[in-house]
Amino acid sequence: MRLAVFPTQWPLLFVLQGAWGWPDSRELSNQTLHDGLTSVKFKQEVIRLFRSERYARSTALDIGAGTGATSAALAVNFGLVVGTEVFWDIGREEKKDTAKATHDYYRLDSSKLFKRDGRSFSNILALHLDAKLPFALSVLVEQNISAVVIDAQHDFFNVVGETMSVLRYIPCCVETIVYHDYCMDEVYQAIRYFADAG
C-alpha cells in the first residue's frame, strides 16, 4: 500500500486509498498484465526491479517484444522503451478466416496496452529488426539504454547472438540485462557462457 498524507479534514481519502488503492500510472491494467507470453509474475518483477525515478531519464530495450506486454511493464518506469521483434511481418501471410490471426499476436500496438489508470502508453517505440544480426543494434547506441530484456528465440545461438549484439553495439550505458525463461536449458547455458567468461 502506498502511504499518503492528507489534511485532517480529509480522513476518508486516506481510508479509500488504503482499502481499494487509487489507479497508479506505474502499474499495468489487468488486461495488459495478463497479456502476452510472459507471466504476470515476470512483468510484476520487471516493474519492481526498475522502480526508481532515475530510469525515467533512460531507455529500455525489449528484444523479442511480441505484442508488447513486457515493453509496457518497462514503460511504466522508463522514459522510452524500444521494442524489437523479427516476427512482426508473419501476419501478412496469415489467412483471414483463422480464429486468431497471427498478426494480432505479434503486433506491438501501444494503443492496446494500458496502465492501471486507464491511459495507454506513448513512450513505446516498435522496431522491426533482428537484434542478433551484425550492427542491427548500432542505430540505438546514443539512446541511453540502461536495461535490456532478452525474450526472443529461446535457443543457445539466438540468446548468445542477442547478448553479444547488446554488449558489442550499445556498450556505453547498459547496466542490466534480464533474460526471460532462464530455466530453459539452452537459455541457462547461454547465460552461463557469459558468466564463465566474466
Side-chain angles (χ1 to χ4, degrees):
M1 175 174 63
R2 193 175 296 275
L3 295 178
V5 177
F6 297 98
T8 54
Q9 64 265 32
W10 298 100
L12 181 60
L13 292 178
F14 182 77
V15 172
L16 287 175
Q17 184 184 20
W20 292 289
W22 283 345
D24 186 353
S25 65
R26 294 181 67 190
E27 296 292 339
L28 298 177
S29 69
N30 270 341
Q31 175 190 347
T32 303
L33 193 60
H34 288 88
D35 192 23
L37 295 176
T38 55
S39 69
V40 169
K41 183 171 174 48
F42 180 80
K43 288 186 272 289
Q44 289 171 332
E45 290 297 322
V46 165
I47 291 169
R48 271 194 284 280
L49 178 64
F50 298 110
R51 192 170 297 277
S52 170
E53 294 299 324
R54 73 186 186 98
Y55 294 114
R57 294 179 301 277
S58 61
T59 303
L61 175 63
D62 184 8
I63 298 174
T67 58
T70 302
S71 298
L74 291 163
V76 297
N77 291 315
F78 283 88
L80 175 67
V81 175
V82 178
T84 69
E85 180 63 66
V86 70
F87 294 116
W88 278 334
D89 60 347
I90 282 180
R92 295 179 187 161
E93 300 160 10
E94 189 67 31
K95 295 178 184 173
K96 294 184 180 193
D97 60 349
T98 57
K100 182 168 174 115
T102 306
H103 70 281
D104 290 337
Y105 194 72
Y106 282 106
R107 292 281 174 217
L108 192 161
D109 182 353
S110 59
S111 69
K112 294 181 180 177
L113 301 168
F114 300 99
K115 300 176 185 179
R116 188 171 163 205
D117 64 7
R119 292 183 295 147
S120 61
F121 291 89
S122 60
N123 62 334
I124 299 175
L125 172 68
L127 290 180
H128 181 211
L129 62 83
D130 188 344
K132 69 185 170 306
L133 292 178
F135 304 104
L137 297 180
S138 62
V139 297
L140 303 174
V141 72
E142 295 185 25
Q143 296 305 312
N144 192 25
I145 295 173
S146 60
V148 178
V149 172
I150 296 180
D151 183 18
Q153 300 299 306
H154 293 75
D155 61 72
F156 182 85
F157 173 78
N158 283 292
V159 174
V160 167
E162 290 152 357
T163 305
M164 287 299 292
S165 288
V166 168
L167 297 175
R168 181 175 293 152
Y169 300 116
I170 47 174
C172 65
C173 322
V174 176
E175 301 168 354
T176 308
I177 300 177
V178 177
Y179 295 90
H180 184 251
D181 286 335
Y182 172 75
C183 61
M184 293 180 71
D185 187 52
E186 291 196 48
V187 177
Y188 175 79
Q189 293 302 325
I191 295 167
R192 290 300 318 155
Y193 171 79
F194 287 101
D196 291 344

